[in-house]
Each structure stands twice: as structure tokens, then as C-alpha cells.
Amino acid sequence: MYSGYGVMPEVTEVADPACPADGAVIAVGATGVCRSDWHAWKGHDPVALPHIGGHEFAGTVVALGPEVVRWRVGDRVTVPFACGCGRCEYCLAGDAQVCPRQTQPGFTGPGSFAELVAVHAADANLVALPASVDFVTAACLGCRFATAFRALTGHGRVRAGDWLAVHGCGGVGLSAVLIGVALGARVVAVDVVPAALDRARELGAEVTVNASDTDPADVVGEVTGGGAHVSVDALGSADVAEVSVRCLRRRGRHVQVGLLLDGATALPMDLVIARELEIYGSHGMAARDYPAMMRLVADGTLRPGQLIAKVIGLEGVGQALAAMGSPGSTAGMIIVAFSM
Ligand SMILES: [Zn+2]
Ligand SMILES: [Zn+2]
């Protein structure tokens, strides 16, 4: 829990979360430390203080509200970071990731850097974990991995043989590299940190580009023979978003995944028209779309465990968040594991 923005979080005793009438309380088995948690902690994405972060988790259902019909105590589950209300037109259409009344544990309420976390609208938001997927692996899925999966499959429509450019090789970027390779794409990974580029290469990136040496759009254009079919800004900055659009081939697709928290962002709309580019924003993935991804995880086609840099205990969360402020911290995911 932290008492103010940028104040080092402390492990402390708080009251157990109340179970919503339509919700569940989950005993957290594992939870990821994500850049979005860092944004909240720094006050870029305001939360009510004091606050408990954490939004990429998996665990066991320990309590259910009286309105829940699909789940039982003891079920092993994960949830998307954006939980839909389960009732509005978007949720009923399966698009809970854009629900106007969405809740986000770790942002709109206390999160999963805790032994227990409450989730609203459990019937709409809980996702069953296959027996073969352990909690640490599943904690990789909730935000960055699922976001990358949907960005590439839903918006990017990546096909085998396509060139995929991934700008920013932190958690979501490395997820996009891994998933792109598994889908048969040829991946160009862009970052400014050599260690992050090394990780991208280990995960199957065919080409890596250090953006501090060169204009990545020029390099991507050369190595792909005209530009990427799909490009992802996995970092979230105005400069990177602009480069991502410029590196596309004609009729290419840019997917904005990294958060742009500084307001309106200029993009080269002249190129968007002349080259008929498609621009997408991607905001996570709804529970409805998890089973397709979960099948590929369960059968070993996707191995999110490869993205884990370190498994730590709850007492290490503060240091892990603080380290996210420096660019060298981006070479994989940090997962908090609870002893069950
Ligand atoms: Zn809704
Ligand atoms: Zn996240």
C-alpha cells in the first residue's frame, strides 16, 4: 500500500475486501508488476490514496456474491485488467474492454499486490485456468500478454509471413515479439536498450534496431522491402507512435498499445491517407476472447513463461516499481508469487 504518489509502498495489514453481490474475492496466487502500476504510483494515472496496486493476477476463488451463477469456491481463475459491468451494450456484445462502467482492480479499487482481491461482475469477467497453466504463468497473461495478443490478432490481423515491427521491448513489447513469432510473422524489434533487444532476439525477432543510433522507420523500410504490414507502439510516447506509423508499408496497420497519457498526440495523417494506413487503439482483451489464447498457452504454442525475468515476494514490489523509472528495467516481466 502507498500513501502518496511516488512514496515507497509498504507491506501492511488491511481489512479483507468485501465481496460484491455480483462479484468474487480471489486469493492471489501470483501477480505481475506492470508499467501501468508504475504510472498509477507516479500519479500519471490518478488513483484514490492510499492505494494498493496490482492488476495482472491469477488465483483461487475464496468467496462469491449471491448473484454469481457460473463459478464455485476453489475455482482457479484469472481476469482481464479491464473488467466489464456485464450488463451494458458493449459487455453484451463481448467488448467488456471498452465498457463505460468498467472496474479495474489496482486502479478503480484495491488491487492484487495483496493476499485477497475483489472482482466485480464475476460471471462476466472471470476466466478459468486450465490445470496445466500455473499461477505464475497465468499472471503474465492478464494485461500485457493479452493486450499484445489482441493487438496482433484482433486489430493487426497478423498472418504468417507478415512483417511485424514492435517498438518498445518491455513487457508488452516482448509479448508481441513472442506472439508474433508464434503466429509466423517476421519480427523487427526496436528499443534503445541493448539488453531488451537481446531478449527480443532470444524470443525470435529476426531483426533488432537500436533507435538511439538511427531512424527506425528507415531501417524497417529497408529490411522489410517497403515497410511493416503491422506495427505496434508498445512503449507509449508521441515520438514512438509517429515512427510506428511511418514504418508501415502501404495499407499497413498501426496498433497503439502503450498508454499516451500526455493528451492529444500528433500522427502523420498525410501518410495515413496516401498509403491507406489503418490506426487502431487497443485496450486489453475481454474475458470472452481469452479461451482462444488460453488454448495456445495450454498446448505450448505460446509460452508466456519465457517472458519472466524474475519472481519476487510481496515485500519486493516497492523496489520493483521504483526500478521501472529507469530504461534498463525493461528486459522482461517481474512476477510476485504468494506461497499457497
Ligand atoms: Zn459494461
Ligand atoms: Zn498491466
Side-chain angles (χ1 to χ4, degrees), residues 188 207-210 214-225 247:
V188 183
V207 180
T208 57
V209 181
N210 191 321
T214 178
D215 181 345
D218 289 345
V219 181
V220 172
E222 281 164 32
V223 299
T224 61
C247 85

Side-chain angles (χ1 to χ4, degrees), residues 48-281:
L49 297 169
H51 185 66
I52 300 170
H55 59 279
E56 307 184 337
F57 60 94
T60 307
V61 175
V62 292
L64 288 164
E67 298 171 13
V68 178
V69 298
R70 290 184 51 215
W71 302 95
R72 296 285 171 269
V73 167
D75 285 344
R76 299 170 71 255
V77 297
T78 186
V79 297
F81 75 85
C83 292
C85 71
R87 295 179 168 87
C88 72
E89 64 176 290
Y90 302 101
C91 285
L92 294 177
D95 288 321
Q97 78 281 0
V98 291
C99 171
R101 288 182 290 164
Q102 65 190 256
T103 53
Q104 301 182 356
F107 299 100
T108 62
S112 54
F113 296 147
E115 291 163 313
L116 299 172
V117 62
V119 177
H120 291 267
D123 281 336
N125 294 305
L126 298 192
V127 176
L129 285 184
S132 61
V133 179
D134 62 65
F135 289 143
V136 169
T137 303
C140 299
L141 302 177
C143 167
R144 292 168 285 187
F145 198 86
T147 297
F149 183 82
R150 181 147 178 284
L152 298 189
T153 59
H155 300 300
R157 310 190 299 279
V158 168
R159 293 170 307 184
D162 281 355
W163 281 103
L164 167 66
V166 177
H167 303 264
C169 295
V172 73
L174 291 175
S175 298
V177 170
L178 183 153
I179 294 163
V181 169
L183 295 172
R186 305 178 71 181
V187 177
V188 183
V190 183
D191 204 288
V192 296
V193 179
L197 294 172
D198 290 345
R199 279 299 288 140
R201 205 173 297 111
E202 288 164 16
L203 293 169
E206 189 170 324
V207 180
T208 57
V209 181
N210 191 321
S212 51
D213 302 337
T214 178
D215 181 345
D218 289 345
V219 181
V220 172
E222 281 164 32
V223 299
T224 61
H229 297 84
V230 179
S231 182
V232 176
D233 172 6
L235 180 71
S237 91
D239 294 346
V240 172
E242 190 265 347
V243 166
S244 176
V245 173
R246 275 198 295 116
C247 85
L248 289 170
R249 73 173 56 216
R250 282 148 208 279
R251 309 220 64 193
R253 298 174 287 283
H254 162 77
V255 190
Q256 186 65 40
V257 168
L259 299 178
L260 293 165
L261 296 171
D262 293 331
T265 300
L267 292 176
M269 294 303 285
D270 52 335
L271 296 183
V272 172
I273 295 167
R275 298 177 183 173
E276 290 201 348
L277 307 178
E278 297 173 45
I279 308 288
Y280 293 95

Side-chain angles (χ1 to χ4, degrees), residues 3-32:
S3 55
Y5 297 129
V7 176
M8 189 58 76
E10 290 179 341
V11 178
T12 183
E13 199 70 37
V14 299
D16 288 356
C19 186
D22 67 352
V25 175
I26 314 292
V28 179
T31 182

